[in-house]
Amino acid sequence: MEQTQKTKTPWVAIVTMFFMFAMISFVTNMAAPFGNIWKNQYSWGGMLGNMMNFLAYLIMGIPAGKIMSRIGYKKTALWALGVGFAGMVVQYLSSLVGAGTAVFSVGQDTVMLNFVVYLLGAFICGFCVCMLNTVVNPMLNTLGGGGNRGNQLIQTGGTLNSLTGTLTPLLVGALIGTVTDRTAMSDVAPLLFIAMGVFALAFIILLFVAIPEPQLESTQTIKQSSNQTTKYSAWSFRHLVLGVVAIFFYVGTEVGIPAELNFYLTDDPLCGAAIGGAVAAVYWLLMMVGRAVSATISGKVSTRVQLSTVSLVAIVLIVVAIVMPSTVRVSMPGYSVAEGFAMFQVPLSALFLVLCGLCTSLMWGAIFNLAVEGLGKYTPQASGIFMMMVVGGGVMPLLQNWLAGSVGYMGSYWLVVAMLAYILFYAIVGSKNVNKDIPVE
């Protein structure tokens, strides 16, 4: 009877982790479509919320790992959920006297004040998702007992992550509808309330769920290991250093493609925010499909081959999208207040950009796996460094959005082509471990 109890699957804890895995993408993917609201007031402000969200990773990446090592999975996750709830509340406060709202408005200064409040909320949410990212993957692996079962739980969580990434721009676009001078954060308040509710529910459930904390049992060993002096570190490995740059560019690519596409279609006279959000959602849906396909072929096709192939294909797709005339159109699913869900005419270039979701879906895992190969005891340090580099998802889309103001939406995608070219270089050449002489045991 005792043995049965020990091997019982902790389904409540697992489902809670799935909730949090889904929330990571749900919260992160709010920032870019919310930008449609603010760029209507400030042409330069569309991607600043996204930038603030990812900037938090740069600050919190390594501290989050240290916090988890000190207080454990459960307490770190509880803190993350509390921080996320606070971030949503702050973003909601920006809707009380939002852009384009006449009630209580006292002019442009009020609009700027609320924009600053929104950016603060996005920054706080960035701390939350960084901490959750640090916790959820190893926690699911632990709850699954490691091995194949642990990997299966992580893949399932990743699928839910892609699902919420699909729903978020769709929901934001449906709530915003057509962007006008009166479009404000209050239009998306229902989505913020949903997020608050899920954060609160996950916090309450996790509070009463027992979570195994194997890393706390070896705290003394970790301390002794950290006190040992060595002339090497994770930075001593060339393939890790090049991989850090690759992951920075990858997250910028993953976020930048659908974000700028959303802006592009929102400004298209035949589309609008709702249709733009729906089309961008297809990109995230295809990422979910790509992850599922990669999981089935990874046992037979090497990571290096997969990364090389999808990088090259993505480059071709984006170049075709750039040179494709905007007058050439194709039917894609969308949403409008008048017609509901239907097929709408969008530029054909949008289809090629959406298809890139199949390519970007497996890049994070592939780059990470190649970069930490052969690192041994330096792997935890490398993981913290990688978490910091998620800031690329804020920096590069912001740069792309700035370029769009100068060379047009589609012209800005040459920056994405350059980033993908580097990832292709990394897959073929840069990912090879040339520092095998460094002891890693």
Side-chain angles (χ1 to χ4, degrees):
M1 182 68 178
E2 184 179 355
Q3 179 66 22
T4 302
Q5 181 67 24
K6 286 183 179 180
T7 58
K8 185 177 180 181
T9 302
W11 283 111
V12 176
I14 291 172
V15 172
T16 304
M17 292 306 102
F18 285 165
F19 252 125
M20 291 196 294
F21 217 141
M23 284 305 297
I24 291 171
S25 183
F26 186 64
V27 173
T28 301
N29 287 344
M30 283 183 180
F34 279 3
N36 279 315
I37 297 173
W38 294 108
K39 80 180 183 71
N40 196 43
Q41 296 292 328
Y42 309 106
S43 60
W44 43 265
M47 290 302 293
L48 275 184
N50 183 73
M51 172 63 187
M52 294 301 291
N53 192 280
F54 282 96
L55 180 62
Y57 278 88
L58 181 64
I59 299 172
M60 198 63 188
I62 291 179
K66 292 182 177 179
I67 290 172
M68 189 178 71
S69 297
R70 182 180 295 271
I71 67 175
Y73 293 139
K74 181 174 178 177
K75 290 183 179 179
T76 304
L78 288 172
W79 273 104
L81 292 170
V83 170
F85 184 88
M88 288 298 161
V89 171
V90 173
Q91 289 193 65
Y92 172 69
L93 291 178
S94 74
S95 74
L96 296 183
V97 191
T101 302
V103 182
F104 303 127
S105 179
V106 293
Q108 190 65 23
D109 288 344
T110 299
V111 176
M112 175 57 75
L113 174 62
N114 282 271
F115 185 41
V116 172
V117 173
Y118 161 70
L119 292 178
L120 176 61
F123 187 61
I124 294 172
C125 284
F127 281 105
C128 161
V129 292
C130 179
M131 296 171 72
L132 287 180
N133 259 316
T134 306
V135 169
V136 169
N137 284 283
M139 186 183 285
L140 278 175
N141 189 62
T142 299
L143 292 172
N148 293 334
R149 176 61 172 163
N151 287 332
Q152 184 181 30
L153 292 181
I154 292 174
Q155 290 170 359
T156 304
T159 302
L160 292 174
N161 183 274
S162 296
L163 178 60
T164 53
T166 302
L167 294 176
T168 302
L170 181 64
L171 291 174
V172 174
L175 290 170
I176 293 176
T178 301
V179 177
T180 68
D181 291 340
R182 297 186 61 82
T183 301
M185 283 295 291
S186 56
D187 294 327
V188 296
L191 198 61
L192 297 175
F193 284 125
I194 291 173
M196 291 180 209
V198 176
F199 272 125
L201 178 62
F203 184 94
I204 293 171
I205 294 175
L206 183 60
L207 195 63
F208 297 99
V209 172
I211 301 294
E213 304 279 4
Q215 84 288 356
L216 292 181
E217 299 173 3
S218 57
T219 300
Q220 188 61 37
T221 303
I222 294 173
K223 287 182 178 179
Q224 292 175 355
S225 175
S226 63
N227 289 332
Q228 295 176 355
T229 60
T230 175
K231 63 178 180 179
Y232 298 112
S233 70
W235 292 108
S236 302
F237 295 84
R238 191 196 73 166
H239 70 294
L240 182 277
V241 175
L242 296 177
V244 164
V245 179
I247 211 71
F248 180 87
F249 284 159
Y250 159 68
V251 186
T253 297
E254 179 199 90
V255 176
I257 291 175
E260 210 60 40
L261 173 62
N262 198 339
F263 291 160
Y264 173 49
L265 295 180
T266 297
D267 287 348
D268 188 295
L270 299 181
C271 297
I275 296 174
V279 173
V282 178
Y283 169 91
W284 297 104
L285 179 63
L286 291 180
M287 282 194 69
M288 181 172 64
V289 174
R291 284 173 176 171
V293 172
S294 177
T296 61
I297 67 173
S298 291
K300 299 178 180 179
V301 182
S302 74
T303 302
R304 184 171 284 106
V305 170
Q306 290 188 53
L307 184 59
S308 302
T309 302
V310 296
S311 300
L312 182 59
V313 171
I315 290 173
V316 172
L317 288 172
I318 293 181
V319 170
V320 172
I322 292 172
V323 301
M324 185 67 60
S326 61
T327 53
V328 181
R329 293 187 171 254
V330 65
S331 295
M332 289 191 68
Y335 176 87
S336 72
V337 177
E339 302 180 47
F341 289 98
M343 300 298 289
F344 293 89
Q345 291 292 309
V346 302
L348 181 58
S349 56
L351 175 61
F352 289 103
L353 293 175
V354 163
L355 289 174
C356 289
L358 291 169
C359 301
T360 57
S361 60
L362 60 89
M363 288 183 180
W364 170 275
I367 295 171
F368 183 87
N369 287 340
L370 291 172
V372 301
E373 184 178 353
L375 263 61
K377 64 182 180 182
Y378 300 107
T379 301
Q381 181 189 9
S383 297
I385 295 170
F386 263 72
M387 197 56 63
M388 290 176 60
M389 289 301 101
V390 175
V391 71
V395 175
M396 300 313 293
L398 184 65
L399 178 57
Q400 184 183 355
N401 190 239
W402 175 80
L403 285 174
S406 302
V407 299
Y409 287 115
M410 298 312 300
S412 71
Y413 278 94
W414 284 115
L415 176 63
V416 178
V417 172
M419 291 190 288
L420 287 169
Y422 178 86
I423 295 173
L424 178 60
F425 155 78
Y426 181 72
I428 298 174
V429 179
S431 59
K432 296 178 180 178
N433 185 359
V434 298
N435 302 108
K436 295 181 180 180
D437 55 323
I438 299 177
V440 296
E441 298 299 328

